[in-house]
Amino acid sequence: MDVKVLDWSIQDIARLAGTTSRTLRHYDDIGLLRPTRIGGNGYRYYDADALTRLQRILLLRELGLGLPEIARVLDGRSDNVEALVTHLEWLRREQERLNRQIGAVETTIEKLKGGGQLMAEEMFDGFDHTQYKDEVVRKWGKDAYAKSDAWWRSQTDHEKRDWKRRAEELGAAWIATWKSGVTPDSDEAQAVAQRHFDWLRGIPGTPGGGGAGPTKEYFAGLGEMYVADERFGANYGGPEGAAFVRDTMRVYADRNL
């Protein structure tokens, strides 16, 4: 018995995925997402495999990757299941963080309504920016921490959320690039290292903050720390992912700093 292969029109996919037909046509033009077939009416149609690829594209876009980088990541891995497992891990971490923030806000609302005593530890669960204070003070001094802390406290809530989002997207981009199988000296890996360099340059008070950005020793040393401290390494997929980040940052430092 023949099994009918289902496919969907470009209009259906645009509606279901929350995108536009124009965007899907652009993905076709640049070879990022080809339609499965072209109907007699000239319409593009997409099957389940194409939908899976589109899901991965949209997830990588959420992580802040550009279209050329997304294409390299997708072409570097043929196992959709393994790739989606990586995406799922990141989404679950993000879900856990958001759930903690939601719980903190709900607790604050309940206590404000009921006249209860507000507890700072409850109010800011999921918002902690001081968890690495001891490391900062030990490595770069109290003045570095004070400047960074003052800068953080000067940010609006929107700016704080945007900064945290970019930090999480950077970690996810590292994991996706490592999982894609490229080498630390590849253009794809070095592009993420450049993003990391620029991110560090935007943190006042640390040796990497400011216009010049991190020094060679500081940038490469951070990579070593990501491997040595499992708390940092967890942001990059664990020991193997952290080792990939370290090696990539070392290549970047040798080439550019």
Side-chain angles (χ1 to χ4, degrees):
M1 178 179 178
D2 293 336
V3 177
K4 183 178 180 181
V5 177
L6 295 178
D7 58 16
W8 294 261
S9 70
I10 189 171
Q11 292 86 354
D12 290 336
I13 297 307
R15 174 177 56 82
L16 292 170
T19 185
T20 65
S21 297
R22 180 178 180 180
T23 296
L24 294 175
R25 287 193 295 270
H26 176 61
Y27 289 171
D28 182 13
D29 291 340
I30 64 175
L32 184 61
L33 179 68
R34 299 292 192 190
T36 307
R37 66 182 180 90
I38 305 294
N41 54 8
Y43 287 178
R44 295 169 170 84
Y45 291 87
Y46 302 81
D47 65 8
D49 287 340
L51 266 61
T52 300
R53 185 176 176 90
L54 177 59
Q55 184 184 58
R56 293 175 61 190
I57 291 169
L58 297 178
L59 286 167
L60 291 169
R61 288 287 283 171
E62 286 290 325
L63 301 182
L65 274 67
L67 295 182
E69 190 174 3
I70 289 174
R72 287 190 288 267
V73 170
L74 293 181
D75 292 342
R77 172 179 304 169
S78 59
D79 188 338
N80 283 329
V81 174
E82 184 182 355
L84 288 172
V85 167
T86 300
H87 297 317
L88 184 59
E89 290 173 355
W90 179 84
L91 290 171
R92 282 176 172 160
R93 288 197 302 271
E94 178 69 3
Q95 181 184 48
E96 180 182 357
R97 184 183 67 84
L98 291 175
N99 284 340
R100 289 173 59 198
Q101 291 188 357
I102 289 170
V105 174
E106 287 177 341
T107 298
T108 300
I109 292 173
E110 291 173 2
K111 291 193 173 182
L112 288 174
K113 286 182 176 180
Q117 178 66 44
L118 291 175
M119 302 294 291
E121 293 83 357
E122 295 175 338
M123 293 175 66
F124 298 107
D125 186 28
F127 296 85
D128 182 22
H129 75 286
T130 64
Q131 56 184 317
Y132 300 125
K133 177 180 178 180
D134 292 342
E135 281 86 351
V136 173
V137 171
R138 185 173 64 253
K139 292 178 181 296
W140 304 304
K142 292 182 179 179
D143 184 59
Y145 176 79
K147 289 180 179 179
S148 296
D149 185 61
W151 164 76
W152 179 255
R153 295 181 187 280
S154 72
Q155 302 294 292
T156 65
D157 289 343
H158 175 75
E159 288 171 332
K160 288 177 180 178
R161 287 193 299 270
D162 182 66
W163 190 90
K164 286 187 174 183
R165 176 185 57 80
R166 288 187 289 109
E168 289 158 2
E169 288 174 350
L170 178 59
W174 273 119
I175 293 173
T177 305
W178 163 53
K179 291 283 190 177
S180 73
V182 299
T183 59
D185 61 351
S186 66
D187 291 342
E188 295 89 340
Q190 289 301 302
V192 184
Q194 180 65 60
R195 284 178 59 182
H196 203 104
F197 180 90
D198 294 338
W199 176 70
L200 291 169
R201 181 161 49 188
I203 307 176
T206 68
T215 64
K216 178 177 181 178
E217 293 74 17
Y218 174 63
F219 193 69
L222 278 180
E224 296 290 346
M225 186 175 69
Y226 296 156
V227 175
D229 192 326
E230 63 181 13
R231 293 173 302 167
F232 291 98
N235 295 323
Y236 306 108
E240 292 184 6
F244 174 82
V245 175
R246 176 200 61 198
D247 295 345
T248 303
M249 291 175 70
R250 168 57 67 184
V251 171
Y252 180 92
D254 289 340
R255 287 180 178 178
N256 301 284
L257 303 179

